[in-house]
Structures are given as C-alpha cells and as structure tokens.
Amino acid sequence: MNNSDPRILTSKEKFEISDLEGGFDHVQPVNSSIIGEVSETNVAGTERGLKARHAQMIAIGGTIGTGLFVGTGQALSLGGPLFLLLAYCLISMLVYGIVTATTEISSYLPVRGANMAYYGTRFFSKSLGFAMGWMYWYIFAITVPAEVTATSLVINYWHPPVSVAVWITVTIIIIIGLNCFPVQVYGEAEFWFASIKVFGIIGLLLMSLVLVCGGGPSGKALGFTYWNNPGPMHEYPVDGVGDGIGRLRAFVATMTFSIFAFAFAPELLVVTGGEMKNPRRNLPIAGRTYFYRLIFFYVFGVFAIGLIVSSNSPDLLNGKSGAGSSPWAVAIRDAGIKGLDSVVNAIIVTSAWSAGNSYLYLASRCLYSMALVGNAPKLFATCNRWGVPYYALTASALISLLAYLNVASTGATVFNWFVNLINTGAFQSWICISIIYLRFRKATFAQRVTDLPFRSKFQPYLSYVNIVVLTILMLLSGFKVFLPGLWNVSSFLTAYIGIPIFCALYFGHKVIVGRRDAFCVGFREMDLDSGLAELKAAEEPVVPGEKWYRTWKTAVT
C-alpha cells in the first residue's frame, strides 16, 4: 500500500473511486509480488543508455515508416481526400488518448525491461500480461519483414539488375546489425534516422505549399482542384449504390487501413523508457509533445497529400513498385520536378530501415521482459556485456525471414497481409492499454498516490472512448471480404486471426496456469510501490543547459 500522505479528492476523483465499495471489492487480490517480479526486472542486464534527445527524437519519428510515406496513397484511393483527412484526425485523437495513458503509467514506474504487457501483469492479471506479451512479440516481429518488404518495393523503383532477395538480405543485415550494438548505438542511429524523416516530411510539406500556390514548373496553382475533381469522397466499392452506403464503406475502409501508419508508436515510448536516463522526467516531456507530432506530421501531411495528388490516380491503385505508389512521388512526377522523386525514394528507404530497426528492438525487449517475469524461457533474459538480450534478439530476428515471401508472391500482396495482421494487433493492444490504465488510475486514487510525474486532464474520458471505438473498428477491419464478389480467404484470415490467437493465449494461460488466480488484482492491493524508491534514487539532478545564443557567441568570438 502506498504510504503517501492523503490528499483532498476532487469531485471527479471521488466519482472515479466510488465503485470501490461496490462492484469490485468481491474480486480477490493477486499476489502482486509474484505479478511484478520488480526486483528482478530492475537488476537485469539492459542499460539506461538513451539520452533525452534520443527519447525526444524517437518519440517524434521512431515509428514513422512506410505507413505514412506509402500507405497514405492506398488510403487516399479508398476514401478520397476528405475521408483521408477525417480518418487521420479521428485516429490522432484515439492515439493521443493511448499516449497519455501509457505516459502516465510508464513515467510513474519506468522499470527496466518494462512494456505494456509487464504493466498488464502487474496492474491487471498474469493471464492478461501473458497474452499481451506474446501478442506484442509476434506483432513487433512481423512488422520488421513488413518494413523490409516495403524497402524492397521502393528500391525496385530504380529497376536494379539484381534479384529482390538481394535487397531483402541487405536490409535485414542492416537492421539486425544495428540492434546488436549497445542501446546507445540504437539510440544514436534512431536519432539520425528520425531526423532525416522529420526534415524530409517538413521539406515535402513546404513543397506541397509551393505546388498549391502555383510555384511548380507549370506555374499552375493547384489549390483545391482535386477536391473538386474527382471530388472529396469516394464510394466503396467504386461502383457502389450511390445512396450513402458506399461512402460509409469507403470511410470505414479508410479508417481501418490508416491505423497502420500509427500502430504501436505509443508502445515504443514505453519500452524506451526502461532504458532511458531520468525517465520520470523525460517521459512526460516526450508524452506532452506527442500531440504536436500527430497534428504536424500526420494530419498536415495527409491534408497536403489530398491537395497535390488526385485520388483516382492510377499510380495509387495499380500496385507499381516503390515510390511510384507513394503519393508524394506521384505529385512530384505530375508537377514535372525532375530528380526529386529519387530523393523521396531515399527518404522512404531510410524511414523503412528506421521503423524496422525500432520494431526489432521492440520485439527483442518484449521477449526479454517476458522472460524476466516467467512468461518466456529464462534463456531470453540473458544479456551480453553491452546489455543486449542476444538470445531474444536472435529469436525475434528469425521472423524477419518472412520477408522472403516476396520472392514467391507480389510485394503489394505480401505487404497487405502484414498490414492486416499489424492493424488487428494494434486494436487489441490499445483496447488492453485503455483497460489497464483505467484500473491503474483508480488504484492511484484508492491508495492516495500524489507523486505522479504526469496526468492528463483528458483522462479517463479518452480511455472510455477508445475502448468502444477501437473495438468497433477491430470488428470492422476485414469487412470488405464480406461484400458481394470480394471474398478472399487470405485477407479474411490476416484481418481476424489475431483475435482468436489472443483469446487462446489469455484463456489458455487462465486455464492451465492461472486457475486459482482472481480475475484481476484489487485496487487497494495493487502494488504501486515496489521499485519506486530505487527509481527515484537513480534520478540525476537537472543540469541547466547553456543558452544557444551564448554557445554561438562563444564560438564566433
């Protein structure tokens, strides 16, 4: 039980814990010392080598990959510019709710090796933590070959005279190699990768402004030309009934597909917190700036795309390789700007390498974390002298071999398989995060915890909304296969197989291992203390930085 001094509760807080005396007290507590394994997690072999600038840049651009650079083209063709913009606005609101939830939890207890599966084990039940952990591992692991697939598609834009297997091999070696070094190297590589992506997107936004205002080679001001013709909204299927049902289908299809561009970015911030210096101070900073990243890069980005690219462009639909399917490259080609499409290509390749690097890091740390709490073989908790869990890294890297499916099937088909699997995992993850957060929040009120480094004024409302909306979207994610003439077995399986897998993991653990465990740990019995004192003691004092203009003055005098 937390021994913090009691505080006066607001009416909102009283309302949130009012049900403690009612519907939840019948739940028997789980031994949280067994759930958390906090002491072992804190003394394990990973190191806190990520600096504040690493954390900030990873938060800004760590998981920006082909979903934003290439996937937006397919989303634009599905729904048109208005539906694409609305979808990204709504998803940004949902993701911001997830970010505020994960930041509040992880900044309070940023233990080494922690991820949301660890917090699910500690703050809900061992069965939920087990199911989330293995779900995270296989989703993070298959996201790596998804990014490798995208890289091979992009490189083929230059029509190199070598097999696609060569580029797949080179990309996999680069991604695995970066993860074999200490976390400082990973952080530094991601810092520069993310910097290239961030400045690349800024440059593309400026280019879009120039084209919209008539500064392109043709001198034609695009304005809202493509919003008028072919129009702001599409129907799905294209030859729909025309009475609004087709437009509703198009909007839902755009929403469910666009999740891929956002998937698992909040979870990356949680994992890096375990290897970050001064995480209780730096995680809230990264969490607060996340909203601006969503607006600037994602919302402004798709708004610009809708202005400079026609939503019925055949290059967005015909499955051409690489940047030919990127809306940015289509706009550059249509505007007659020579050579810039290759620059966009290079940015997309870099972003795919960066995202693949991040997701392999996530997969290996997830398997490492599960090994620490007994949900995976202890072998995967072994680290080398650099703090790298090399057995967990090796097992995760083996899944990258799925990228060689491109040799037998078309890259676009394989990429869509991966997108379906990843989107279902993202829905499941965010629903579970919202549930875990609500219980954690009520436990902090029940135990009078006052030293939270971060708390959002938009919570818990966003979490309640997320549970409802994300559940609906998850169930609708594969609705297209149920339309007449569109049945596809592989699309159906990849869209929905993640749901029974998660249920099998949860109920299998519940029946085999957790038969005697309560459904969830009680609010007043939840362990909010173990490891906290050590984390506070390890915090380094804030060193005031020198002002930039003083540094410049010193350099020039």
Side-chain angles (χ1 to χ4, degrees):
M1 184 73 68
N2 191 289
N3 296 320
S4 300
D5 295 334
R7 63 189 179 98
I8 299 175
L9 298 181
T10 66
S11 58
K12 173 183 174 183
E13 293 166 348
K14 290 178 181 178
F15 174 79
E16 291 187 18
I17 64 172
S18 61
D19 56 0
L20 291 176
E21 303 301 330
F24 294 96
D25 273 355
H26 68 282
V27 178
Q28 295 298 316
V30 179
N31 189 335
S32 55
S33 65
I34 296 176
I35 288 178
E37 295 289 342
V38 179
S39 60
E40 185 175 0
T41 305
N42 278 324
V43 300
T46 58
E47 299 179 355
R48 294 194 184 275
L50 295 180
K51 301 178 181 178
R53 66 182 178 89
H54 294 155
Q56 286 284 6
M57 193 55 72
I58 289 172
I60 293 173
T63 54
I64 294 178
T66 52
L68 182 60
F69 283 110
V70 178
T72 46
Q74 186 169 340
L76 178 64
S77 68
L78 280 171
L82 178 59
F83 282 167
L84 177 63
L85 179 61
L86 289 176
Y88 268 67
C89 288
L90 292 175
I91 296 173
S92 294
M93 293 176 60
L94 297 175
V95 172
Y96 182 65
I98 299 300
V99 170
T100 54
T102 57
T103 302
E104 184 171 329
I105 296 173
S106 61
S107 64
Y108 178 70
L109 278 172
V111 297
R112 292 179 181 176
N115 56 21
M116 285 311 302
Y118 168 82
Y119 295 119
T121 300
R122 184 164 175 172
F123 300 144
F124 194 91
S125 73
K126 290 183 284 187
S127 295
L128 182 65
F130 177 86
M132 289 181 67
W134 283 104
M135 183 268 293
Y136 277 141
W137 178 74
Y138 82 77
I139 291 294
F140 292 156
I142 67 172
T143 306
V144 179
E147 296 294 341
V148 173
T149 297
T151 301
S152 64
L153 291 173
V154 171
I155 292 176
N156 279 339
Y157 181 73
W158 286 300
H159 303 292
V162 294
S163 170
V164 65
V166 174
W167 301 116
I168 291 173
T169 303
V170 171
T171 303
I172 289 176
I173 290 174
I174 292 174
I175 291 174
I176 295 176
L178 288 173
N179 274 269
C180 289
F181 291 100
V183 70
Q184 295 93 328
V185 176
Y186 162 79
E188 200 66 32
E190 273 306 297
F191 176 83
W192 292 108
F193 276 148
S195 298
I196 293 173
K197 289 187 287 187
V198 167
F199 287 114
I201 294 176
I202 292 173
L204 291 172
L205 290 175
L206 292 175
M207 179 203 71
S208 302
L209 179 62
V210 171
L211 294 178
V212 168
C213 296
S218 66
K220 177 184 176 182
L222 294 177
F224 283 83
T225 300
Y226 296 127
W227 284 59
N228 295 320
N229 183 24
M233 298 173 287
H234 285 184
E235 292 184 1
Y236 188 87
V238 177
D239 55 348
V241 294
D243 60 354
I245 300 299
R247 289 180 177 179
L248 178 61
R249 291 170 178 166
F251 177 69
V252 173
T254 304
M255 278 281 292
T256 54
F257 181 84
S258 297
I259 289 290
F260 176 67
F262 299 81
F264 300 108
E267 289 87 337
L268 174 61
L269 201 55
V270 175
V271 176
T272 55
E275 300 183 40
M276 181 189 299
K277 294 181 179 179
N278 298 323
R280 284 173 58 86
R281 182 172 69 248
N282 290 325
L283 274 173
I285 296 173
R288 291 187 186 99
T289 60
Y290 208 96
F291 179 74
Y292 304 106
R293 165 204 163 175
L294 292 172
I295 298 298
F296 187 81
F297 295 115
Y298 286 84
V299 176
F300 285 179
V302 296
F303 178 63
I305 288 171
L307 293 176
I308 62 176
V309 183
S310 173
S311 57
N312 64 358
S313 171
D315 288 329
L316 301 178
L317 300 170
N318 65 6
K320 284 180 62 178
S321 295
S325 297
S326 168
W328 303 104
V330 172
I332 290 169
R333 185 207 60 202
D334 292 345
I337 305 175
K338 297 181 179 180
L340 190 57
D341 55 346
S342 292
V343 176
V344 173
N345 236 358
I347 294 174
I348 295 174
V349 170
T350 303
S351 71
W353 284 353
S354 170
N357 186 35
S358 294
Y359 283 114
L360 183 57
Y361 170 83
L362 281 171
S364 62
R365 267 44 177 192
C366 181
L367 193 55
Y368 163 80
S369 179
M370 287 193 294
L372 289 178
V373 297
N375 287 338
K378 290 293 183 183
L379 176 70
F380 295 125
T382 307
C383 295
N384 61 18
R385 60 188 178 89
W386 292 336
V388 177
Y390 53 94
Y391 287 121
L393 175 62
T394 301
S396 303
L398 289 175
I399 308 299
S400 302
L401 299 178
L402 290 174
Y404 288 101
L405 288 171
N406 287 285
V407 179
S409 301
T410 63
T413 300
V414 175
F415 183 71
N416 282 328
W417 291 345
F418 287 134
V419 168
N420 288 340
L421 290 167
I422 293 164
N423 285 353
T424 303
F427 288 130
Q428 294 171 327
S429 171
W430 293 346
I431 292 169
C432 291
I433 287 173
S434 299
I435 295 172
I436 294 167
Y437 169 75
L438 291 173
R439 295 194 59 79
F440 169 80
R441 181 184 176 91
K442 290 185 177 182
T444 60
F445 290 149
Q447 300 185 30
R448 302 298 194 270
V449 175
T450 60
D451 57 347
L452 290 167
F454 177 84
R455 176 154 276 175
S456 171
K457 62 183 178 181
F458 298 107
Q459 293 288 5
Y461 315 112
L462 289 177
S463 291
Y464 286 117
V465 171
N466 277 347
I467 292 173
V468 175
V469 175
L470 291 171
T471 301
I472 294 172
L473 290 177
M474 180 177 67
L475 297 176
L476 293 175
S477 60
F479 82 97
K480 292 181 287 186
V481 300
F482 299 110
L483 299 178
L486 295 181
W487 173 258
N488 184 283
V489 175
S490 60
S491 296
F492 171 78
L493 289 176
T494 53
Y496 289 111
I497 197 172
I499 299 175
I501 288 176
F502 185 86
C503 292
L505 289 169
Y506 177 83
F507 290 108
H509 183 276
K510 192 71 175 175
V511 171
I512 297 173
V513 179
R515 292 189 302 273
R516 298 181 180 179
D517 294 339
F519 175 69
C520 57
V521 62
F523 295 123
R524 292 190 177 94
E525 293 77 20
M526 192 179 293
D527 182 7
L528 300 180
D529 288 333
S530 298
L532 184 60
E534 292 83 356
L535 288 167
K536 290 181 177 179
E539 288 287 300
E540 299 175 1
V542 179
V543 179
E546 188 175 7
K547 300 295 184 181
W548 66 270
Y549 53 83
R550 291 180 181 174
T551 304
W552 175 254
K553 182 178 179 180
T554 302
V556 298
T557 56

